[in-house]
Amino acid sequence: MIDFNNINYLKTGNPKQIQAFEVLTQNKILLNLAEFNPVLVGTIPINIDIENSDLDIICYWKNKADLIEKINAFFGSKNEFQIRETLINNQETVIANFKINDFEIEIFGQNIPTKNQNGYKHMLIEYEILKVKDENFRLEIIKLKQNGYKTEPAFAYLLA
């Protein structure tokens, strides 16, 4: 089982995972967010990403203003920076987006421990499914995503 709480697994992954590791470490993205228990989630960690997949980082805030302040301080000058607050599943949520090198990065923060957030839970379930399925299944997920499917509906479609 991969320890998704430590991005070192990316160092020995595919070329995009290696590049993601370099971007995250060289720019100290997770280090700068350390007090918010950041975890990289989504398609890149489990090798079902497509060309325009972003780096999704979930965070756990106890004080929303602290997260917003840190995001603005560390990433506010990055290309295409945006930050907003919204409600997702009745949870106050902070979402920031920006670009570094060829990666779009999304920081997603809620007042929910990262391991209890849906993004983390979904990734773990998808990872477990990928482990028991064959390589063709993984490639079919990617093909569906390239044809416009979101990740969860792609899994649902293939699993009937």
Side-chain angles (χ1 to χ4, degrees):
M1 173 78 172
I2 294 173
D3 177 8
F4 290 107
N5 297 298
N6 181 331
I7 62 166
N8 284 334
Y9 67 92
L10 295 172
K11 286 194 281 192
T12 57
N14 66 40
K16 191 164 189 177
Q17 289 172 327
I18 293 167
Q19 188 181 10
F21 177 82
E22 290 169 358
V23 165
L24 291 170
T25 54
Q26 289 169 3
N27 294 280
K28 299 181 173 134
I29 295 172
L30 299 178
L31 187 63
N32 288 333
L33 296 169
E35 69 187 274
F36 304 103
N37 300 332
V39 178
L40 178 67
V41 299
T43 59
I44 292 173
I46 60 174
N47 194 23
I48 56 169
D49 54 287
I50 59 175
E51 186 177 333
N52 63 348
S53 294
D54 60 0
L55 291 172
D56 295 309
I57 301 165
I58 58 172
C59 292
Y60 167 43
W61 52 261
K62 294 176 184 150
N63 181 320
K64 183 173 57 171
D66 285 348
L67 177 63
I68 292 169
E69 181 183 323
K70 290 278 168 51
I71 289 173
N72 279 310
F74 291 123
F75 311 113
S77 64
K78 301 296 182 193
N79 288 337
E80 300 180 32
F81 177 82
Q82 295 178 11
I83 189 167
R84 66 191 186 283
E85 296 178 52
T86 188
L87 278 180
I88 296 180
N89 298 328
N90 288 325
Q91 290 289 330
E92 291 183 61
T93 305
V94 174
I95 301 173
N97 299 90
F98 52 92
K99 277 189 167 180
I100 296 179
N101 299 352
D102 294 330
F103 282 102
E104 287 185 35
I105 297 171
E106 179 171 282
I107 299 171
F108 180 97
Q110 291 184 322
N111 186 19
I112 298 172
T114 48
K115 288 184 178 180
N116 295 335
Q117 289 186 29
N118 286 338
Y120 184 78
K121 291 178 185 179
H122 291 184
M123 181 182 69
L124 290 184
I125 292 166
E126 292 157 3
Y127 175 69
E128 291 301 320
I129 292 169
L130 289 166
K131 281 189 349 189
V132 299
K133 294 291 187 179
D134 62 9
E135 176 68 0
N136 191 51
F137 181 88
R138 185 184 74 82
L139 295 174
E140 287 297 315
I141 291 286
I142 292 169
K143 194 180 297 179
L144 287 171
K145 290 177 60 55
Q146 289 169 331
N147 289 320
Y149 276 72
K150 293 288 190 186
T151 304
E152 286 82 4
F155 273 86
Y157 177 80
L158 287 182
L159 295 170

